[in-house]
Every structure is written in C-alpha cells, then in structure tokens.
C-alpha cells in the first residue's frame, strides 16, 4: 500500500499500475489549501493525517491538519469537518512560517507534529516547533501548557529539526527530536547536529546528557568530521529504550550511533556505539540527501545530485546513489553493485520523495512536465531488497499516473 502526498492523497495497488478505486474518488482525494503537506497512516486509529501550512497572506505560520479515513473520506469527528487550523503566530507572535517535518502517533491516540518555524522572511531565524493534538483535533494543553512549543536549545543558532521519535517503554512517554544547528553569525566552518529528549509534558529531560540535549560538531562522532555540516536525519527507539540515530556530513560521510537513555554511547553497537561511513558519493546537505532507518534497524544512506556531461551534445542527469548497512553497523556489500545502488534519470524529472517500504524495497516518486499538454505526470520507480530494479512493480519497475 502506497500513500503519496503532493497536493492530493493517492493510494495505489501494490503492483503500481492502477489507482485503488476504493479510495475516495477513483483512488484520489484532493486535500484543499494545505501547502507543503506530509501524510502518515495511523494503523491503530485506522486513519490518515495530512498536515502542512495554510497560506494566510503576509504570514505562513498557520498550521493546517486534515484527518481522513482509510477509504479517503473526511473524518468529521476531527476538528471542524475533518480540519484543524492553528495560528502559531497567535501563540508565538512574530512567527513568520511553519513547515511540518514529521507526524508521530502516540499509543494513547494523540498526534505529535514536529515543525520547522522561522521568525523572518529570509528564514535565518529557525526554531524547533512541536504540537500535540488529541485524536479529535483539539490541542493537548498538558503539553507545554498550550499544546504548542517553539524554542531554541541555545541562543545564537538557527535550528532546523528533521526527525522525531517517541519512547513509550519508560514509565512516562519520552520524545526525541534531531536535526542541525547553524550559527546565526557564520563565524565557524562547521554547523552542529543536535539530539534532544523531552518529557511527556514537553519539558527537556535533564537526565539525558546532563541538560536534556546533545549539540555537537561532527567530531563528537568521529575526529575526522571537522568542517562542514552535520545533520541528524532519522532516529528510532530500539531495544526497548535505546536510541538509534543516523545522519550525514558534508562530503561523502554518513554516520550512525546508538545511545542509552542517559545520552551516552551504547558500546554494544559497533564496539564503541558509533559508525562513520565514507560512502564514496556526496552526502549532500540538501533535502536530496536522505538517511532511513528501516524496519529491521538496518540503515540506508542515499543522495541525489545533478551531473553534467560535457560532450556533444551536452546533457545532464539526476544520479541516485544508495549504500546500506545492517543492524549491527556493518556495510551490506551485496547491495546494488559492490555495496552501492546507482541509477540515473534524465533531468526534467522533478523528484518528490524516496523511501523504503516495510519489506526493505526502495520506492522513488517524481513528476515530469508535459509542456505540450500543460500537464504533470507522477512517476514511480521501485528497487528490490538487493538494490536491483524490481521488475514485478508496474511496467518493468516503473509506473506513471496521468
């Protein structure tokens, strides 16, 4: 089952050939007036949450959340006619924009949203944001008093949160948030990654790393990561209460580490609790660089970038690279070709997202423009668990929705 969130929600058959006509209207449901949306399925509550920002003119700080049933119908028990709007700049005056980065469902049905917020139009004042809702759409005031929390861990930095995880194995729920912190005055040659831990009420858990968070240069992981940008890109609670963290660093480096509840490294993971991997391809610091922790706790490090070939006639390609490591931190050399999946696409393909399903197959979504008809087509390519094109999907591993 695949859910794609662009300005619509779309469910496809597993074969990738046809929209599922049992979902809303012929497999599609347009969720109106939510921009830069992300979506997630709540398998316990049997629902779909779509969240993004609402365009309110001079500000983009209004959060929009819509709840659908699994068949694509609006869930009228949520908010007003299935929709909730939250004016972040009313609770935190001066907030200019908000972007939803992650959706998490708690075991009690509450909905956690991770936000990237700014206080200026030039995006130089980044804040970490969190919102918690009851499953009926109302704000949970037991979380940071209002249900909304915007903050910085340290002054003098702009924050870009990228991922979130929860631990429900402890007596009370714990929340982890990760991302990158960049000095507001760029006086150093490197930015820092951060990992923060919060109590159920939204307050920092000071039993973690002494003050509730780790904010460090890449040298904290490995002494060779001196300059550049370090970003935590994914995290997952494993082994009841350990935190598996994965990220990227400028150049060709990716990293992973496993932390105990108190924030110290767990030496059972790769002997010293951390792994540094020189993947041999650029670990771009843009959104084209992605790191995924899969269901079996293996990790995929991936990157896309544009390569120009100066031949006659010259042409450019978008190139995808993926490397994998197993749950113990060792490289999976059998993946792709010699441990790396490589696939190229002609430019003109505009990439939306790539991720892994529960079986470990990689799926890429992208769109192409048909200028003659003024249309956009949504395309998919799927790779099998060994990093080869999955010919059982669509038409020889590719599918197109027109």
């Amino acid at each position: 089952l695949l859910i794609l969130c662009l300005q619509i929600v779309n469910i496809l058959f597993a074969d990738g050939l046809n929209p599922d006509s049992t979902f809303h209207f012929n497999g599609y449901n347009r969720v109106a007036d939510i921009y830069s949306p992300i979506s997630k399925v709540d398998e316990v509550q049997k629902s779909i949450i779509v969240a993004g920002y609402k365009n309110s003119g001079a500000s983009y700080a209004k959060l929009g959340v819509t709840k659908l049933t699994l068949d694509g119908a609006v869930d009228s028990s949520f908010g007003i006619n299935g929709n909730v709007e939250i004016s972040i700049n009313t609770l935190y005056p001066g907030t200019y924009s908000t972007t939803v980065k992650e959706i998490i469902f708690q075991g009690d049905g509450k909905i956690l949203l991770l936000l990237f917020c700014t206080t200026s139009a030039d995006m130089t004042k980044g804040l970490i944001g969190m919102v918690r809702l009851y499953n009926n759409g109302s704000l949970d005031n037991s979380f940071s008093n209002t249900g909304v929390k915007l903050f910085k861990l340290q002054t003098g930095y702009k924050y870009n949160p990228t991922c979130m995880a929860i631990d429900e194995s402890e007596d009370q729920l714990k929340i982890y948030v990760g991302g990158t912190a960049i000095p507001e005055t760029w006086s150093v040659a490197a930015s820092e990654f951060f990992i923060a831990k919060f109590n159920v009420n939204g307050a920092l858990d000071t039993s973690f790393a002494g003050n509730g968070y780790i904010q460090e240069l890449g040298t904290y992981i490995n002494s060779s990561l001196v300059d550049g940008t370090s970003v935590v890109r994914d995290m997952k609670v494993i082994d009841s209460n350990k935190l598996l963290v994965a990220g990227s660093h400028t150049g060709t480096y990716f990293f992973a580490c496993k932390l105990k509840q108190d924030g110290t490294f767990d030496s059972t993971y790769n002997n010293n609790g951390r792994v540094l991997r020189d993947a041999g391809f650029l670990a771009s610091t843009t959104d084209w660089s992605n790191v995924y922790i899969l269901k079996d706790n293996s990790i995929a490090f991936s990157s896309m970038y544009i390569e120009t070939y100066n031949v006659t006639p010259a042409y450019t390609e978008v190139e995808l690279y993926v490397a994998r490591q197993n749950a113990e931190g060792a490289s999976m050399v059998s993946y792709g070709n010699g441990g790396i999946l490589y696939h190229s696409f002609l430019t003109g393909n505009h990439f939306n997202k790539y991720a892994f399903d529960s079986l470990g197959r990689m799926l890429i979504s992208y769109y192409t423009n048909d200028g003659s008809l003024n249309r956009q087509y949504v395309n998919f390519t799927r790779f099998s668990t060994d990093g080869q094109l999955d010919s059982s999907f669509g038409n020889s591993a590719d599918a197109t929705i027109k």
Side-chain angles (χ1 to χ4, degrees), residues 195 232 234-235 243-247 255-259 293 299:
I195 304 164
V232 170
D234 201 5
M235 52 175 52
L243 184 69
L244 183 60
V245 177
F255 64 86
C257 64
K258 185 177 179 182
L259 303 176
I293 301 175
I299 300 175

Side-chain angles (χ1 to χ4, degrees), residues 21 68 88 135 176 191 267 327 377-378 386:
S21 60
L68 307 174
I88 304 296
N135 61 11
Y176 292 96
S191 68
S267 60
Y377 299 148
V378 180
D386 61 0

